[in-house]
Amino acid sequence: MTPGARIQAAIDLLDRIDAGEPAEKALTGWGRRSRFAGSGDRAAVRDHVFQALRCYRSYACLGGAQTGRGRMIGALRATGLDPAEVFTGAGHAPALLTDTELSAGTAPVGADACDLNDWVLEEFRTSLGEGAEAAALALRTRAPVMLRVDLRRGTRDDAIGLLAEDDISASTHPIATTALCVTKGARRLARSRAFLNGMVELQDGSGQAAMQAINLDGGRSILDFCAGGGGKALALAARSDARIYAHDVDPSRMQDIPTRAARAGVQIEQIATSALPRKAPFDIVLCDAPCSGSGTWRRAPEAKWRLTRERLTALTQLQSQILAEAAALVAPGGQLVYSTCSLLSTENEDRIDAFLNAKSEWKLVHAQRFDVTDGGDGFFMAQMTRA
Ligand SMILES: C[S@@+](CC[C@H](N)C(=O)[O-])C[C@H]1O[C@@H](n2cnc3c(N)ncnc32)[C@H](O)[C@@H]1O
């Protein structure tokens, strides 16, 4: 495909997404219909679509229209390119620019420039103060691919060396002592020796740093209450000899845990909801709660436009409910850890304050926010102990 044909494909996909089709579904459908597209074309079209979703408002301003075509005109202008060089009408390239398109387009300001919904920008300002704009701008860029090195199997330099044997380049990242940032060959990771033998696991740097910030002293049993794919449970298993348990209200979300645990050489026992009372109490319970995902909107940019006030309120209610349920599973003198991949205080500090106000036997030990400007995803963790 020519560069122009790739842009036209992105225009068509953005229009479908704007009409309500989920981005992944739209891309899969396009892939099936476009047998002529090679792997490089597919990656390029995907990149165009995801970058336009990250910068949905600012590109529409720059392009002068809230359409796929307007946004891709804006995308080219944002990178200093003249859209007329791509919108040539030749072959499968987009049609020539109209006079209106040539004169339309303004520099984005305010929430347009931050690429957030107006009310979300207000939430960012309440939560992050002067850091709100910087966080919003960081979410307009592509997320790095980060790895967690299992330090029981070797150093970060050992891992970098093993990855290099499979033509994958990585460098250490200061966000966590286990963190690597992949700079080349990320697509080869799943078949690389370092991955298959458990020396590295895919995990964002903030998630790694947050799991390292948990004080595990004296914890002989640890429950990951919202385990999902088990990323946090695996990170804890790598730094503790405690018995590790995984639970999720939706057990199908845990289906990858046995394979991942086997690769890491650790044991993670899954517990059904009905069996929790029998297995409790646990010394440490982690709630990596469902959230808006605002700290991960670089990876899932569609989510930032789909979040509504109603959904956010429902999430905060669920988060408080999960905290209360999890607290009841902690042994006397034990620890409760709450985390989200959100930057919003309504999902983080406010939930902890509400919990501590309602339960006088609990005390805050440590709370920390990881900003998206630190290099990893936005993340929050708080550790509490029962008196
Ligand atoms: C943020 S994800 C967890 C990600 C996971 N910890 C990881 O590192 O890959 C939140 C998880 O909470 C689960 N969940 C939602 N409501 C729950 C509840 N009431 N009790 C337990 N888990 C719940 C969801 O199914 C989802 O898998």
Side-chain angles (χ1 to χ4, degrees), residues 111-133:
D112 281 329
C114 287
D115 276 305
L116 291 177
N117 279 322
D118 293 14
W119 71 273
V120 176
L121 179 55
E122 285 315 308
E123 292 282 342
F124 267 50
R125 289 200 171 117
T126 305
S127 307
L128 307 171
E130 288 182 353
E133 271 80 7

Side-chain angles (χ1 to χ4, degrees), residues 29 32 34 37 58 71 81 105 138 188 222 278 294 315 339 349:
R32 278 205 202 100
S34 312
S58 61
R71 290 193 166 91
L81 296 171
R188 287 187 284 279
I222 302 176
R278 207 165 11 95
S294 57
L315 281 166
S339 66
E349 292 86 348

Side-chain angles (χ1 to χ4, degrees), residues 243-267:
R243 284 200 73 126
I244 311 269
Y245 300 89
H247 162 267
D248 198 289
V249 74
D250 176 358
S252 71
R253 308 241 353 199
M254 299 192 288
Q255 65 189 11
D256 291 340
I257 292 182
T259 315
R260 295 179 82 185
R263 230 176 18 236
V266 297
Q267 297 226 319

Side-chain angles (χ1 to χ4, degrees), residues 225-232 247-250 253 288-290 318 322 325:
F225 186 61
C226 301
K232 309 296 182 306
H247 162 267
D248 198 289
V249 74
D250 176 358
R253 308 241 353 199
D288 188 31
L318 177 60
I322 286 176
E325 283 173 22

